[in-house]
Amino acid sequence: ASLEQIIEGMAADQATVETQEAASRALCECLQRSPAQQGEVARLGGLGAVLAAMCAHPAELGVQLMGACALERMCAGHKENVMRLVEEGGMRAIIAAMGGFPALQPLQETGCKVLRNAAACSTDCQAAVAADGGVAAALRAMMAHPAAAAVQELGCRALRELAAYSVDNQAEVATRGGVQIVLRAMEKHRALPTVQVMALGVLRNLTATCAERQELVLSRGGAEAVIDAVAEHRESADVQQAGCWALFCLCARNPEARRVLHAHGAAAAALKGMERHRQEAHVQEAGCWVLKELSREIVTSNTGQAMASTQAILKAMDKHPDMAAVQTAAGGALKSLAAQDRSGWVQTACLGRCGRLGRPAARRALSVIRE
């Protein structure tokens, strides 16, 4: 049957469960084979037809699962379809399906994918997903399937996007016990870098510049969880980057949090990641921000680590001269270290590396210090 025939059949026989389930499955399979047909399916009314089926048969597992899968395929990477889904109440249908069948792992996985796609689409879509209960739905899925790595990863993906730049959503995640749930996911699946990266992303978005949530995460063992993740996955640039950003956000503008993280070895962890992934600009950038934030603790507690930090920053500047983000982060870190330095060894280190760095890099470093 053609797409048009499938969708017309759904409208003509809405009361028959088997028809709705089979048609939703057919749409899902068609979109898996030919993702380029997303726009055509929506144009023919496929999105509305699937939503109507799910609303008409809320107690039918097959209709809910196949409907959610079809909607996920229609919306994956397709902004217009995501916006249409949100406008037509699709998030409520997805969240109702997840709530109606909490034990069905495939439905929870698919639901979390839809939540994530919608939350990442735009700030309006993000707000709509949250208003319809998206935060609670993702957390319930993770609580119902703690041993399922896919649910934990996808749940964290959804929470990361819901929490991004949204103070209200960040507060809701924390209030609903999201910190504990994410940290349990990290502990349960510590060998899986994909789970660690997504969980670290949630912690980053929850804690940036919020002392209350920084302290909440730290009180629940967040420092240990982040340090363990980067130590466990030394070869993963993605984990190192995500871990450094989480460390930075956990202590940004918070002197007490800085002291706690430094005591747990945050600076050492950042330095190890930068050393192992010298070619990865994103790791260098994130690592430099950690060193900047911890500059006072580094300089006042460990001269050897202060020297190592200076050398790591200079190497980052030299290795990535055309990466503005790296230069900004490295410049800020070097300036912060120099501001804490009463002996002049930061400037001495810059001068001492002139031969290795080359004159342009050395000049850049010295100009940053002297600003």
Side-chain angles (χ1 to χ4, degrees):
S2 67
L3 287 173
E4 190 169 4
Q5 289 172 328
I6 293 170
I7 294 167
E8 287 178 351
M10 294 181 75
D13 194 12
Q14 195 175 85
T16 304
V17 170
E18 292 77 12
T19 299
Q20 301 302 310
E21 179 180 346
S24 295
R25 179 183 285 107
L27 290 175
C28 183
E29 291 173 350
C30 174
L31 290 169
Q32 285 177 330
R33 292 191 302 270
S34 304
Q37 291 190 297
Q38 288 172 305
E40 181 66 5
V41 170
R43 186 188 69 79
L44 292 170
L47 194 151
V50 172
L51 284 177
M54 294 177 72
C55 292
H57 304 283
E60 296 294 337
L61 185 152
V63 174
Q64 297 301 307
L65 177 58
M66 286 299 102
C69 289
L71 292 175
E72 191 277 324
R73 288 290 82 207
M74 285 184 217
C75 294
H78 198 289
K79 185 174 182 177
E80 290 181 5
N81 283 1
V82 171
M83 295 177 69
R84 184 177 299 181
L85 178 69
V86 172
E87 290 169 1
E88 295 187 14
M91 301 316 304
R92 289 190 293 276
I94 290 290
I95 291 167
M98 295 174 72
F101 300 94
L104 187 63
Q105 182 179 329
L107 180 52
Q108 301 305 311
E109 293 177 14
T110 302
C112 285
K113 288 181 184 179
V114 178
L115 295 177
R116 182 265 170 198
N117 288 341
C121 182
S122 69
T123 54
D124 287 343
C125 288
Q126 180 195 49
V129 173
D132 287 339
V135 170
L139 291 172
R140 283 196 300 266
M142 294 178 70
M143 285 189 289
H145 300 275
V151 175
Q152 299 304 304
E153 177 189 342
L154 293 167
C156 283
R157 283 182 183 270
L159 292 173
R160 185 183 68 168
E161 297 301 334
L162 282 163
Y165 308 108
S166 173
V167 175
D168 290 341
N169 291 355
Q170 292 161 9
E172 184 179 358
V173 173
T175 300
R176 291 183 178 276
V179 170
Q180 299 93 307
I181 292 168
V182 169
L183 291 174
R184 279 198 294 268
M186 295 180 71
E187 181 180 4
K188 183 77 173 178
H189 302 281
R190 62 179 299 168
L192 297 178
T194 52
V195 174
Q196 300 299 312
V197 168
M198 292 304 124
L200 290 165
V202 179
L203 297 180
R204 167 187 175 176
N205 287 350
L206 285 180
T207 58
T209 69
C210 178
E212 181 180 354
R213 286 191 291 278
Q214 288 170 336
E215 291 160 12
L216 172 61
V217 172
L218 292 175
S219 72
R220 299 290 182 175
E224 296 92 330
V226 178
I227 298 295
D228 286 350
V230 296
E232 179 78 14
H233 300 281
R234 294 183 296 274
E235 302 301 326
S236 171
D238 289 340
V239 173
Q240 298 303 311
Q241 176 190 350
C244 283
W245 278 121
L247 291 172
F248 169 72
C249 289
L250 272 169
C251 67
R253 304 179 187 177
N254 188 329
E256 180 57 32
R258 289 199 296 267
R259 287 190 286 271
V260 171
L261 282 178
H262 189 256
H264 279 88
L271 286 170
K272 288 177 183 177
M274 293 174 72
E275 177 65 30
R276 192 171 291 271
H277 299 279
R278 195 69 67 195
Q279 302 293 335
E280 297 290 339
H282 295 305
V283 176
Q284 300 302 308
E285 177 193 358
C288 283
W289 283 116
V290 176
L291 299 180
K292 176 186 182 299
E293 200 63 33
L294 296 176
S295 59
R296 178 185 294 274
E297 288 70 27
I298 291 170
V299 171
T300 58
S301 66
N302 189 327
T303 301
Q305 189 175 79
M307 293 298 293
S309 298
T310 303
Q311 299 292 348
I313 294 164
L314 292 172
K315 289 178 183 178
M317 295 179 77
D318 182 51
K319 186 66 70 175
H320 303 281
D322 299 323
M323 295 294 293
V326 174
Q327 295 299 314
T328 298
L334 197 61
K335 187 173 182 179
S336 292
L337 284 172
Q340 305 298 328
D341 172 25
R342 298 294 179 264
S343 304
W345 48 258
V346 173
Q347 182 168 322
T348 300
C350 294
L351 291 170
R353 286 192 65 86
C354 275
R356 297 181 187 178
L357 290 175
R359 290 186 181 276
R363 281 199 295 268
R364 283 198 303 272
L366 289 171
S367 68
V368 164
I369 293 172
R370 293 166 180 168
E371 285 179 356

